[in-house]
Amino acid sequence: DLCEEVPNHRSGCARETDVGFRHRRSVAAIVINEFFLTALVVIAAYLGFLISAYTDLAPRTLSSVEQVVLFSVGVSLNTSWALVATLVSFFQYVGTLGWKTDAVAGNVPVACGGVVFVGYLGCVQAFLEHDFAWAFVAAWACMGIKRMQTIPEQARFPVKAMNSTLASIATYTAYVVMAVMAASVATLVVA
């Protein structure tokens, strides 16, 4: 990661980012062992850490494209992905409490709401903040949900639980995020 390659590029970042990346590795081990509450707490803490780092390294806080590429893109990508992972962890945890439909945690309307929420944040970040890395991850996550809901693969997701409405909402949400990214680029080019 950037902070390991350039340890003093910004005060304190090397320690903070290294701890954050170690959190991400810990979550994978916890989820594999199905400690979903622990995984939710860890990923939420990681998201909090990333939001804290993001406030200092968001594209709007930097003065050149080079600084954005070097300092912001990695944090933006990770923060957006940690948001998605936190939502997934929440669903996994509430599934252990009995909130399941067709052996899958949660239900379709709430999943659709989560997709729209992630897409909305992607649009806000793209248009208002010109943070294309964040928006890219939001669109990518939506397309991943679309894939999960349209390509039968029993080992990854129960075929019985696949839902075409969720797939459509995820697809259209990804397209909207990409369109907003394009519109945001156009505003930068015109300005």
Side-chain angles (χ1 to χ4, degrees), residues 19-57:
V19 169
F21 285 105
R22 290 183 200 285
H23 263 81
R24 186 178 61 191
R25 288 185 211 117
S26 300
V27 170
I30 293 166
V31 170
I32 288 169
N33 291 302
E34 298 184 2
F35 299 123
F36 296 122
L37 178 58
T38 305
L40 177 58
V41 169
V42 170
I43 195 68
Y46 180 54
L47 177 61
F49 152 78
L50 285 169
I51 290 170
S52 173
Y54 183 80
T55 59
D56 290 333
L57 296 172

Side-chain angles (χ1 to χ4, degrees), residues 98-160:
W99 187 31
K100 291 186 178 191
T101 306
D102 294 323
V104 176
N107 61 31
V108 172
V110 175
C112 290
V115 167
V116 170
F117 175 70
V118 167
Y120 169 76
L121 288 180
C123 289
V124 167
Q125 291 300 101
F127 199 76
L128 297 180
E129 304 294 333
H130 302 295
D131 190 341
F132 305 112
W134 184 301
F136 170 77
V137 170
W140 182 26
C142 290
M143 291 306 284
I145 291 168
K146 178 243 185 197
R147 180 199 173 281
M148 186 82 64
Q149 298 297 318
T150 57
I151 298 174
E153 196 174 325
Q154 185 64 35
R156 299 196 76 182
F157 192 81
V159 175
K160 181 175 128 181

Side-chain angles (χ1 to χ4, degrees), residues 2-23:
L2 174 67
C3 289
E4 289 175 0
E5 293 174 17
V6 187
N8 295 318
H9 77 276
R10 190 154 180 144
S11 176
C13 184
R15 282 186 310 279
E16 293 171 2
T17 302
D18 188 46
V19 169
F21 285 105
R22 290 183 200 285
H23 263 81

